[in-house]
Amino acid sequence: MKASTFDLSRKTLSPTILSPKFPFAWPPSIPVLIPHRLRRKLRSRIRSRQSPSSSLASLQTSFHPADTLQSLRAHQWSVYDAQYLVLIVLGIFALSILESPGAFVKTAIATLLLTSLLLPITRQFFLPILPIICWLVFWKACGSIPGEYRPPIWVRVLPALENIFYGANLSNILSAHQSAVLDVLAWLPYGIIHFGAPVVCSILMFIFAPPGTVPLFARSFGYMNVIGVLIQLSFPCSPPWYENLYGLAPANYSVAGSPAGLARIDQLFGLNLYTSTFTASPMVFGAFPSLHAGSATIEALFMSHVFPQLQPVFIAYTLWLWWATMYLSHHYAVDLVGGSLLSGVVFYVAKSSFLPHCQPGKTFRWDYDFAQIGETDNGYTLANFDQKAREDADDWTIGSSSSIASGLDSPIDESQSMWEGETLASHSDTEAQR
């Protein structure tokens, strides 16, 4: 009775706040659109997959630059950190010779990039894609290099190698019979899927692959393209469309690019997309190696590592793109072999030392409590994870752990702090345990 009286008195004394009424209704938010029971089921399912002793699959949410500076002070520098020196030198060179945009825009872009690397919440995304950013800027800057500082263009080498290895010019053979159907079939992998495949592969690997796979894929993809552009710059070769237009006459850097078979796509859809893009290409004589083939191959290798049962599908896509590049007269067959071999070497280096292995019975990234990385004499390297180790993760400096000797996961020393932390919740650095 007293409790009832007390409650009543509280109700009479408490102020009443009326919510304002509007003549219109606010649109429902996304959580409201999803039934409460379904939201609760999904939330509990994700939480049930996460081990209470491991935060391997979680992401960094800190906005404090002090966390990044602390990681830099405690970082144990190794030979793998030389990659950043290469990227810095290449980036400064590319920005300095790039004619447009202007100096103000370049400075603003560089400032935004440095800011993204300073904040932990954005560093986990931008640090792994630094090689990709460097590749795009460097590729764009190649058109600003004066012709007198560039090596002579090789016009006869690739056709000669084509005849030596295959006995004929496969590009001319495949492009001899043309039709609108074949044009569209070649355009899809070369002009559409090629540009969206890296994003789709990254999303799928982020969900289904072990944590640390996506950052390694981004680095491998970027460095493969950087190496490819360096080869194209130092060994410029004419593509098949040049032979079709000018024969084997000597070439110079004043020759504009050509969309080749993609010009028929512009005519088919009434566009000027590929004609204007390829005509103004900064790398007109970058036939060897084919970065289209290299991109498809490295995507197929990483996806086959995560989804081995779908390997025939990825091989079929790579061969499909191979055919498209030759049908559209953009590459010789030897260019495709060179690009795929380059990707194979990059993937082998990544897999042998840095790529986490998929574990039986684990479907999603949230299922992983530890990562199996590389190969040792006793088997795989086991890396255990906790909150501190996740914050101090390092994608490229992965060492062995003494826990493999006993078959148990040893806790990571909490004093470790690594500069490359929070790269999409990648695996931690265990070099300090050696």
Side-chain angles (χ1 to χ4, degrees):
M1 193 67 180
K2 291 182 179 180
S4 172
T5 305
F6 179 75
D7 292 339
L8 181 60
S9 63
R10 289 188 61 183
K11 289 181 180 179
T12 57
L13 293 176
S14 60
T16 302
I17 301 177
L18 298 178
S19 58
K21 297 181 179 287
F22 297 96
F24 57 88
W26 294 101
S29 60
I30 293 179
V32 174
L33 295 177
I34 303 176
H36 175 71
R37 182 175 298 179
L38 180 58
R39 294 204 316 267
R40 185 172 58 184
K41 185 177 180 180
L42 291 174
R43 199 161 41 231
S44 61
R45 220 176 143 182
I46 292 176
R47 288 175 178 173
S48 64
R49 289 183 175 272
Q50 291 180 329
S51 170
S53 62
S54 173
S55 56
L56 174 61
S58 53
L59 296 176
Q60 178 60 247
T61 59
S62 173
F63 284 91
H64 300 292
D67 297 337
T68 299
L69 298 178
Q70 181 180 1
S71 298
L72 271 175
R73 286 194 297 266
H75 178 57
Q76 298 178 359
W77 300 96
S78 67
V79 66
Y80 296 109
D81 296 310
Q83 60 180 304
Y84 300 111
L85 180 60
V86 174
L87 294 178
I88 291 173
V89 171
L90 208 57
I92 293 176
F93 169 76
L95 289 176
S96 62
I97 67 172
L98 199 60
E99 297 178 354
S100 62
F104 178 78
V105 178
K106 294 178 187 179
T107 304
I109 294 175
T111 303
L112 290 176
L113 180 59
L114 292 176
T115 303
S116 68
L117 296 177
L118 194 59
L119 302 179
I121 193 171
T122 54
R123 189 178 81 224
Q124 61 188 339
F125 299 102
F126 281 90
L127 189 61
I129 67 173
L130 272 183
I132 298 179
I133 298 175
C134 182
W135 155 56
L136 293 174
V137 176
F138 180 53
W139 173 80
K140 180 66 176 177
C142 287
S144 301
I145 301 177
E148 56 267 22
Y149 296 105
R150 303 176 68 172
I153 302 168
W154 299 88
V155 176
R156 301 175 181 267
V157 171
L158 296 183
L161 293 176
E162 191 90 350
N163 285 280
I164 292 174
F165 291 149
Y166 311 110
N169 190 323
L170 298 183
S171 177
N172 290 340
I173 294 175
L174 293 176
S175 60
H177 305 283
Q178 302 172 359
S179 67
V181 175
L182 292 178
D183 291 343
V184 173
L185 288 177
W187 163 64
L188 288 175
Y190 193 87
I192 298 295
I193 302 178
H194 167 74
F195 299 99
V199 178
V200 174
C201 292
S202 298
I203 294 174
L204 292 176
M205 285 187 287
F206 178 79
I207 298 174
F208 298 102
T213 304
V214 176
L216 187 62
F217 168 71
R219 294 175 184 274
S220 302
F221 185 86
Y223 283 121
M224 182 274 300
N225 282 281
V226 168
I227 296 173
V229 172
L230 287 173
I231 296 175
Q232 293 173 351
L233 191 62
S234 58
F235 182 58
C237 297
S238 60
W241 59 260
Y242 181 88
E243 182 181 359
N244 297 336
L245 292 177
Y246 307 104
L248 298 179
N252 57 71
Y253 290 103
S254 64
V255 177
S258 171
L262 288 176
R264 299 192 296 270
I265 296 298
D266 283 347
Q267 296 175 1
L268 182 64
F269 294 104
L271 302 174
N272 190 30
L273 176 62
Y274 296 103
T275 300
S276 59
T277 302
F278 280 89
T279 302
S281 173
M283 186 67 74
V284 176
F285 297 101
F288 182 88
S290 169
L291 296 184
H292 273 74
S295 299
T297 302
I298 203 165
E299 291 160 4
L301 290 172
F302 270 91
M303 293 294 284
S304 298
H305 173 78
V306 179
F307 308 102
Q309 67 277 13
L310 298 179
Q311 187 178 31
V313 177
F314 306 133
I315 295 176
Y317 165 70
T318 304
L319 295 177
W320 183 19
L321 188 134
W322 274 36
W323 167 80
T325 57
M326 291 186 288
Y327 173 80
L328 296 173
S329 298
H330 278 266
H331 288 285
Y332 294 99
V334 67
D335 306 334
L336 308 176
V337 175
S340 295
L341 286 177
L342 175 60
S343 292
V345 172
V346 173
F347 178 76
Y348 173 79
V349 174
K351 184 179 180 180
S352 61
S353 302
F354 312 113
L355 184 61
H357 293 263
C358 298
Q359 301 172 17
K362 296 184 179 180
T363 305
F364 301 98
R365 63 179 284 112
W366 299 278
D367 297 336
Y368 286 83
D369 296 322
F370 63 92
Q372 296 175 328
I373 304 164
E375 294 183 356
T376 62
D377 296 336
N378 297 323
Y380 294 115
T381 298
L382 300 184
N384 189 26
F385 298 86
D386 57 7
Q387 178 66 22
K388 183 65 177 178
R390 179 183 64 80
E391 294 178 354
D392 301 332
D394 192 323
D395 289 324
W396 284 80
T397 52
I398 301 302
S400 59
S401 172
S402 59
S403 62
I404 189 63
S406 60
L408 300 175
D409 298 336
S410 301
I412 299 296
D413 183 8
E414 293 190 359
S415 63
Q416 297 184 47
S417 181
M418 294 302 159
W419 148 242
E420 295 195 26
E422 304 89 39
T423 51
L424 287 176
S426 59
H427 45 70
S428 64
D429 191 332
T430 57
E431 286 287 341
Q433 296 182 13
R434 288 187 171 180

